[in-house]
């Protein structure tokens, strides 16, 4: 039977990075994945260009029942450390917006870099491998894979969350946590588009594909300022994906479709200068024309087909309210099928924030998305994968 210092389950972002670093520190590491290829989510990420980190990483950009938990790992392996590694491999990158760093060419470069790092660490990678059972005794962990048994003194679970089952996502990590007595917090889809109730969805279908800058606010007061996209299923775009992680079923979100503008002031000034200009043309200076036409159809009482001179103050108040404090109650989300992340997961109270090891189960570690730490859109989730992996690898190296 083959014996390793550590077995890492999941050849995704966190698993590959942890295996590579532990291997490079002299540990004999086996990396196991059920898929045909390593890093499948990385390849899909950032529209194929992988938004691999963010210049503005801070613990406040992470959701967790235990908000302090992520601090230690994030402080010890920073975005600058990962940028150094990317630079070392000569991978060209650029900042897109809001500190989000993307490869100039392809996400494949990040996967190739991680595979090369694993090779440098002498990591044994076993793909298309199902883990049939995991048991623990005094000597460590015994795993039954399809076709063989393997042993290791330490076991790292990096099997990710539930989002995108088509890319190999599975509840494996949560099951292992429960098997060893760790609490798993309820999971739900995060960074995911909203679906809308039928009448509203049908009314908005004509503006599917329209995108606008917006400020979106959740009931808990969380605010994001990003673009919003109307889709044939409901609402999407970065603003909606971000706020979805802070939204609970049944709640409303409030959307400002004309941010940073005093609309009353704009309308009053325009009325003084061009009293005969139509309301429609005035609004079209600040919003896509298709959206204005849709609003005129939906709310003719607030968006009448009149000139600015004819617009009364009740109508003006109504339209400003609708545009800048649009309250929407989503029907739900598109769920794990399209979610970028899974909120919840292995309760961090049972883990060491320094090593990611289960406090009561020596030699068992949880890293990456399987843990109850979820970042914002924009490279924050990969940075958590890299940082938690580095913290765990350091612990494996020192063990
Ligand atoms: P994963 O990368 O999901 O890896 C888990 C691995 O475990 C997988 O390879 C899986 O096959 C394997 N596995 C699962 N179950 C088993 C099992 N039973 N046995 C063996 N192996 C198993 N984040 C960003 O920061 N920037 C982005 O640009 C970005 N874009 C994204 C785009 C999409 C479409 C999606 C879905 C997510 C995106 N994310 C992005 C989120 C990011 O991909 C994840 O947060 C990150 O991949 C988590 O890393 P991980 O290693 O914990 O899990």
């Amino acid at each position: 039977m083959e014996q390793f210092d550590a077995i890492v389950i999941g050849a995704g972002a966190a698993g590959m990075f942890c295996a590579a670093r532990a291997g490079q520190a002299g540990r004999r590491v086996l990396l196991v994945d059920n898929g045909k290829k390593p890093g499948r989510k990385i390849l899909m990420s950032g529209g194929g260009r992988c938004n691999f980190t963010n210049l503005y990483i801070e613990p406040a950009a992470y959701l967790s029942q235990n908000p302090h938990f992520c601090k230690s790992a994030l402080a010890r392996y920073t975005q600058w450390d990962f940028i150094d590694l990317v630079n070392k491999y000569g991978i060209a990158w650029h900042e897109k917006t809001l500190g989000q760093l993307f490869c100039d060419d392809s996400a494949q470069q990040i996967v190739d870099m991680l595979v090369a790092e694993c090779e440098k660490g002498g990591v044994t990678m076993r793909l298309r491998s199902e883990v049939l059972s995991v048991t623990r005794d005094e000597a460590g962990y015994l795993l039954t894979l399809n076709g063989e048994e393997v042993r290791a003194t330490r076991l790292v679970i990096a099997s990710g969350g539930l989002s995108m089952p088509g890319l190999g996502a599975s509840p494996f990590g949560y099951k292992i946590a429960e098997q060893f007595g760790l609490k798993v917090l309820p999971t739900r889809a995060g960074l995911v588009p909203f679906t809308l109730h039928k009448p509203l969805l049908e009314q908005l279908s004509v503006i599917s594909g329209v995108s606008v800058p917006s400020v979106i606010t959740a009931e808990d007061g969380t605010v994001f300022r990003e673009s919003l996209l109307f889709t044939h299923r409901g609402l999407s775009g970065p603003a909606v994906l971000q706020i979805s992680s802070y939204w609970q079923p049944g709640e409303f979100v409030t959307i400002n479709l004309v941010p940073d503008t005093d609309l009353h002031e704009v309308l009053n000034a325009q009325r003084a200068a061009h009293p005969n200009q139509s309301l429609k043309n005035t609004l079209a200076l600040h919003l896509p024309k298709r959206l204005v036409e849709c609003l005129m159809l939906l709310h003719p009482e607030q968006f009448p087909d009149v000139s600015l001179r004819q617009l009364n103050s009740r109508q003006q108040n109504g339209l400003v309210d609708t545009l800048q404090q649009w309250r929407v109650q989503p029907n739900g989300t598109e769920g794990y099928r399209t979610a970028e992340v899974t909120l919840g997961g292995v309760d961090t109270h049972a883990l060491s924030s320094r090593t990611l090891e289960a406090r009561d189960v020596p030699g068992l570690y949880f890293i990456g998305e399987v843990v109850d730490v979820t970042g914002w859109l924009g490279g924050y989730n990969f940075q958590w994968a890299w940082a938690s992996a580095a913290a765990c690898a350091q612990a494996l190296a020192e063990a």
Side-chain angles (χ1 to χ4, degrees):
M1 188 189 310
E2 274 186 291
Q3 171 82 40
F4 295 87
D5 295 323
I7 298 174
V8 180
I9 315 268
M16 278 200 279
F17 199 52
C18 177
R21 290 176 71 93
Q24 288 172 24
R27 295 288 168 260
R28 199 160 173 247
V29 183
L30 173 67
L31 177 59
V32 176
D33 200 284
N34 57 6
K36 277 193 282 189
K37 289 197 285 187
R40 284 178 289 175
K41 251 184 213 169
I42 301 174
L43 289 176
M44 289 282 291
S45 69
R49 288 215 162 86
C50 186
N51 177 192
F52 55 81
T53 193
N54 193 293
L55 295 177
Y56 308 118
I57 297 290
E58 49 157 349
Y62 292 86
L63 291 91
S64 173
Q65 298 263 313
N66 184 2
H68 298 297
F69 182 79
C70 62
K71 288 182 179 172
S72 168
L74 290 174
R76 284 181 297 138
Y77 189 87
T78 69
Q79 62 273 40
W80 311 111
D81 294 316
F82 197 75
I83 293 167
D84 277 351
L85 182 65
V86 168
N87 287 342
K88 218 168 84 192
Y89 276 77
I91 299 172
W93 52 268
H94 61 279
E95 179 187 351
K96 199 166 164 190
T97 171
L98 302 170
Q100 301 168 4
L101 304 191
F102 287 76
C103 297
D104 284 359
D105 296 328
S106 161
Q108 183 70 53
Q109 294 173 293
I110 300 291
V111 175
D112 292 346
M113 176 185 86
L114 294 169
V115 169
E117 285 287 293
C118 283
E119 281 167 2
K120 211 164 122 189
V123 173
T124 305
M125 199 185 294
R126 216 149 282 171
L127 301 171
R128 290 194 179 93
S129 255
E130 289 295 334
V131 182
L132 303 177
S133 69
V134 176
T135 51
R136 177 170 175 259
D137 56 25
E138 324 72 65
Y141 294 84
L142 172 67
L143 273 67
T144 313
L145 308 179
N146 39 353
E148 61 177 331
E149 286 193 328
V150 284
R151 269 199 164 278
T153 35
R154 280 148 211 286
L155 178 64
V156 180
I157 307 298
S159 55
L162 298 173
S163 33
M164 298 240 174
L167 295 179
S170 81
F172 176 83
Y174 308 133
K175 287 189 179 152
I176 294 293
E178 280 168 349
Q179 177 186 336
F180 288 97
L182 278 80
K183 191 169 159 195
V184 177
L185 298 169
T187 57
R188 65 193 168 88
L191 300 181
V192 63
F194 283 144
T195 55
L196 295 175
H197 294 281
K198 202 112 189 233
L200 184 59
L201 182 64
E202 281 170 0
Q203 289 160 350
L204 295 178
S205 65
V206 288
I207 49 169
S208 156
V210 168
S211 169
V212 285
S214 73
V215 172
I216 189 162
T217 310
E219 283 193 15
D220 71 356
T222 305
V223 180
F224 286 99
R225 171 185 294 271
E226 295 208 49
S227 62
L228 175 142
L229 174 70
F230 294 90
T231 73
H232 63 287
R233 288 206 191 85
L235 299 175
S236 187
V240 168
L241 300 187
Q242 296 280 36
I243 214 74
S244 71
S245 297
Y246 293 85
W247 176 83
Q248 300 289 344
E251 289 183 355
F252 283 79
V253 290
T254 305
I255 302 172
N256 183 345
L257 294 167
V258 199
D260 306 318
T261 306
D262 184 334
L263 254 190
H264 280 296
E265 203 177 289
V266 163
L267 288 168
N268 294 341
Q270 199 71 3
R271 183 188 289 111
H274 309 284
N276 293 323
Q277 186 173 52
S278 70
L279 172 65
K280 185 171 159 182
N281 287 346
T282 310
L283 291 177
L285 298 172
H286 299 272
L287 286 163
K289 198 163 171 219
R290 274 167 71 199
L291 176 55
V292 175
E293 286 167 355
C294 173
L295 289 168
M296 294 186 97
L297 267 175
L298 284 185
H299 304 289
E301 65 295 347
Q302 290 153 20
F303 295 85
D305 195 3
V306 296
S307 67
L308 289 178
R309 188 163 40 81
Q310 293 166 309
L311 185 72
N312 65 41
S313 59
R314 187 181 46 80
Q315 289 165 326
Q316 180 164 320
N317 288 338
L319 81 85
V320 170
D321 254 19
T322 303
L323 286 173
Q324 297 200 304
Q325 290 198 63
W326 183 33
R327 271 171 59 76
V328 184
Q329 187 181 32
N331 185 16
T333 72
E334 289 189 9
Y336 293 119
R337 193 179 57 78
T338 59
E340 281 200 14
V341 286
T342 303
L343 293 149
V346 176
D347 187 355
T348 58
H349 292 97
L351 305 177
S352 153
S353 62
R354 201 177 59 78
T355 62
L356 282 297
E357 185 177 16
R359 290 183 199 286
D360 296 333
V361 193
L364 180 63
Y365 302 76
F366 291 85
I367 58 172
E369 195 180 321
V370 73
V371 173
D372 171 36
V373 173
T374 307
W376 288 350
L377 185 79
Y380 294 90
N381 285 294
F382 279 138
Q383 188 58 38
W384 169 246
W386 318 134
S388 59
C392 174
Q394 188 184 345
L396 297 177
E398 288 167 0

